Amino acid sequence: ASGRERLLPRLRPFPRPAMDLFGDLRRMNKRQLYYQVLNFAMIVSSALMIWKGLIVITGSESPIVVVLSGSMEPAFHRGDLLFLTNFHNDPIRAGEIVVFKVEGRDIPIVHRVIKIHEKENGNIKFLTKGDNNEVDDRGLYKEGQNWLEKKDVVGRARGFLPYVGMVTIIMNDYPKFKYALLAVMGAYVLLKRES
């Protein structure tokens, strides 16, 4: 046989078919499999600990959010990743960009504070608007609500990374892509062997 024919059987197409991945799992002994599962659990728990730590440090229930619409352009674009803080003793000011939740809507909104209304007792109410929107946000608030209060604020924008959150938007728009990506990542962590 020629040298070319001898090389052909050794070539393996990349990426390997899913059946080969399951074959790798079957070939692992129990100790290796337990080690890989424990490795995966450590990665997940580390990510959760980092997230909880960020919540404590920033005072925000959601310290990192992705801008999902173009309502804040040109300040922020769809897919920008925002870093938030929410310290309760820090007063809200006009011009500040806040992330807020309103009753009846699951997804937080990122808009700018345009008006502050301070009562005699010290309570503050405020009105928001997207930089790219024609009108204020009263139409977005729950029925009969004309102002937001401090309890509605999830956080205030302190910094951002442009377009880094596009992966999140793609995963939300295409759920099959999200599950495929999670499956590939899980398989990689489980099947990765230490050299």
Side-chain angles (χ1 to χ4, degrees):
S2 72
R4 181 184 164 108
E5 288 171 345
R6 272 185 257 132
L7 287 178
L8 285 178
R10 292 182 185 172
L11 295 177
R12 177 176 251 174
F14 186 80
R16 295 184 300 174
M19 296 308 288
D20 282 353
L21 294 176
F22 292 118
D24 282 351
L25 267 179
R26 273 190 240 111
R27 283 190 291 277
M28 281 186 189
N29 64 34
K30 284 184 181 181
R31 188 177 192 164
Q32 286 175 319
L33 185 61
Y34 291 148
Y35 176 75
Q36 296 302 87
V37 169
L38 185 61
N39 219 0
F40 184 71
M42 291 293 287
I43 291 170
V44 171
S45 62
S46 295
L48 288 173
M49 286 190 301
I50 290 169
W51 183 257
K52 291 294 183 184
L54 283 173
I55 289 172
V56 171
I57 291 168
T58 62
S60 175
E61 67 185 61
S62 187
I64 300 171
V65 295
V66 175
V67 178
L68 298 176
S69 74
S71 66
M72 278 303 292
E73 290 180 2
F76 299 123
H77 297 274
R78 189 170 193 251
D80 287 355
L81 194 70
L82 299 183
F83 300 101
L84 310 179
T85 61
N86 194 22
F87 302 117
H88 292 287
N89 55 355
D90 196 10
I92 292 174
R93 295 178 180 91
E96 201 171 21
I97 296 170
V98 296
V99 177
F100 62 91
K101 271 187 173 177
V102 290
E103 202 174 299
R105 291 181 182 261
D106 294 334
I107 299 172
I109 300 167
V110 180
H111 281 175
R112 191 179 303 276
V113 175
I114 57 169
K115 285 184 187 174
I116 299 281
H117 178 67
E118 192 168 353
K119 293 185 173 181
E120 290 175 15
N121 64 3
N123 285 348
I124 293 176
K125 293 190 174 193
F126 56 94
L127 181 64
T128 56
K129 176 186 170 295
D131 290 356
N132 202 20
N133 292 349
E134 297 292 324
V135 295
D136 62 43
D137 291 342
R138 288 184 177 149
L140 298 175
Y141 305 159
K142 73 177 182 179
E143 194 174 329
Q145 182 179 6
N146 291 322
W147 299 87
L148 290 176
E149 297 177 26
K150 207 159 185 177
K151 67 176 177 58
D152 299 315
V153 175
V154 173
R156 302 160 194 204
R158 298 297 183 207
F160 77 102
L161 287 174
Y163 303 111
V164 174
M166 285 307 288
V167 174
T168 303
I169 291 174
I170 291 168
M171 287 196 298
N172 282 337
D173 290 350
Y174 305 100
K176 288 180 183 176
F177 174 74
K178 174 172 61 176
Y179 297 126
L181 184 64
L182 289 172
V184 167
M185 287 170 49
Y188 173 75
V189 170
L190 285 174
L191 297 175
K192 183 184 83 168
R193 295 196 179 155
E194 299 296 321
S195 15

